[in-house]
Amino acid sequence: MKANGRGKNGVSPCQAPPLSLNRRYWRDRLMLGLLTGATVLVLVPLLIVISYVVIQGIGGLNWDFFTQELGSPTRAQMGQPTGLVHTIIGTLVVDTLALLIAVPLGIGAGVMLAEYPDHPLNPLLRLLNDTLNGMPAILKGMLAFALIVKPMGTFSGLAGAIALTFVMLPIIARATESALMIIPWSIREAGLALGLPRWRVITATIVPAARVGLVTGILIAFARAVGEAAPLLFTSFGNNYLPSRWTGWLLGPVDTLPQRLYSLAISPYKQWHEMGWAAGIVLMALVISTFIAARVAIRKR
């Protein structure tokens, strides 16, 4: 090596030779192609499933589907109009109530885990959250059965909402914790330096800054819960008719789309099979519309 610190070629040993522009171009194209191929591999099965459900169920979507009850099996045998209006309304009631319960509890648990890591209750909270997250959905339904159905002495929409709450809670808590942890600590220090109490800094600064992550976690939890049928078998049970009173939606057996979809799929009537595919379309539309509405609301704010 020469005295000036350069090698035989006059290039410093610490300086790597630059890649040619052509090599960089083709490397970029290769990685872009791999990412595009991976995306297509993920989307193609999803599009196949959605297309198949739409093709099979589009014929079952009619006015009677959205306005009539399912009723007794004899209605299908006699060719009388049947529908799933009670199922659609029951799904909206149970899922909305589950969201109203799970969102504040899940966000509160996530805030506790992220913002107060040294709190003595945190190890127990994390253990309970991980245990609930690892439980099969049917066990969550049995838990709601023991806590709600047995004391009340009847199946109910409230019990179904509690079962779905158990499904949503750990997902929302984990998503909230992850979303809050990526917020820089300098923002918290700035709020505390102004003399604001810790809870005020969290509610007025940290949580709004992480709202995109929070909404994403809520949507994932909702999508997971809205398709669960097993927990509802032990809780809301199902119903072929509209409740006679409005309190029946909460205090009596309630029908939901995932549970009804399963029962229609194993029924011996062709008309009910078509209604099952149509129910799948409605369920997908519910999830997709919820995602779109949430994203639009965030973008406007």
Side-chain angles (χ1 to χ4, degrees):
M1 184 176 292
K2 298 181 180 180
N4 59 2
R6 297 183 176 271
K8 296 181 179 180
N9 298 328
V11 179
S12 173
C14 298
Q15 181 181 1
L19 291 173
S20 66
L21 183 61
N22 193 39
R23 288 180 62 187
R24 291 180 179 180
Y25 174 80
W26 285 109
R27 180 175 294 183
D28 178 72
R29 289 295 181 180
L30 176 62
M31 295 306 299
L32 181 61
L34 292 176
L35 291 175
T36 303
T39 304
V40 171
L41 288 176
V42 173
L43 292 180
V44 166
L46 178 62
L47 293 176
I48 291 175
V49 172
I50 293 177
S51 301
Y52 188 79
V53 172
V54 172
I55 292 173
Q56 293 293 325
I58 194 67
L61 294 177
N62 50 48
W63 180 253
D64 292 334
F65 181 87
F66 295 101
T67 58
Q68 299 292 329
E69 308 174 310
L70 184 63
S72 63
T74 56
R75 296 181 66 177
Q77 292 176 333
M78 298 175 62
Q80 296 179 352
T82 58
L84 296 180
V85 59
H86 61 293
T87 305
I88 297 173
I89 298 176
T91 302
L92 295 176
V93 170
V94 172
D95 292 342
T96 302
L97 182 59
L99 268 179
L100 293 176
I101 299 174
V103 168
L105 293 179
I107 292 179
V111 169
M112 186 73 174
L113 293 172
E115 300 296 325
Y116 301 92
D118 298 328
H119 197 280
L121 291 179
N122 261 8
L124 177 61
L125 178 60
R126 190 177 298 277
L127 176 63
L128 293 176
N129 189 74
D130 292 342
T131 302
L132 193 61
N133 191 36
M135 288 175 59
I138 193 169
L139 292 183
K140 298 174 184 178
M142 296 177 67
L143 177 60
F145 176 85
L147 295 177
I148 307 297
V149 176
K150 288 291 288 183
M152 290 180 60
T154 181
F155 299 100
S156 63
L158 177 61
I162 297 298
L164 296 185
T165 298
F166 291 148
V167 176
M168 296 184 193
L169 262 178
I171 302 175
I172 296 176
R174 275 303 183 88
T176 301
E177 181 186 9
S178 301
L180 296 182
M181 289 297 293
I182 64 176
I183 303 299
W185 280 97
S186 58
I187 297 180
R188 299 171 176 84
E189 293 171 353
L192 295 173
L194 295 175
L196 297 176
R198 183 73 178 273
W199 68 268
R200 184 64 177 172
V201 174
I202 294 172
T203 56
T205 306
I206 305 304
V207 172
R211 65 178 180 274
V212 175
L214 298 183
V215 172
T216 300
I218 293 171
L219 291 176
I220 293 174
F222 176 77
R224 166 72 185 279
V226 76
E228 290 288 353
L232 303 176
L233 295 174
F234 296 93
T235 51
S236 61
F237 188 70
N239 193 350
N240 288 358
Y241 302 91
L242 285 166
S244 57
R245 296 180 298 175
W246 69 269
T247 54
W249 294 110
L250 296 179
L251 305 180
V254 174
D255 206 26
T256 55
L257 282 171
Q259 183 181 355
R260 179 54 58 185
L261 208 161
Y262 169 76
S263 62
L264 292 175
I266 62 176
S267 68
Y269 310 113
K270 182 180 179 180
Q271 181 184 2
W272 283 15
H273 292 170
E274 294 178 353
M275 292 175 61
W277 289 111
I281 296 177
V282 174
L283 192 60
M284 288 193 304
L286 175 62
V287 175
I288 294 173
S289 60
T290 303
F291 270 70
I292 294 175
R295 292 302 181 187
V296 170
I298 293 176
R299 188 169 298 177
K300 286 184 176 180
R301 292 194 62 181

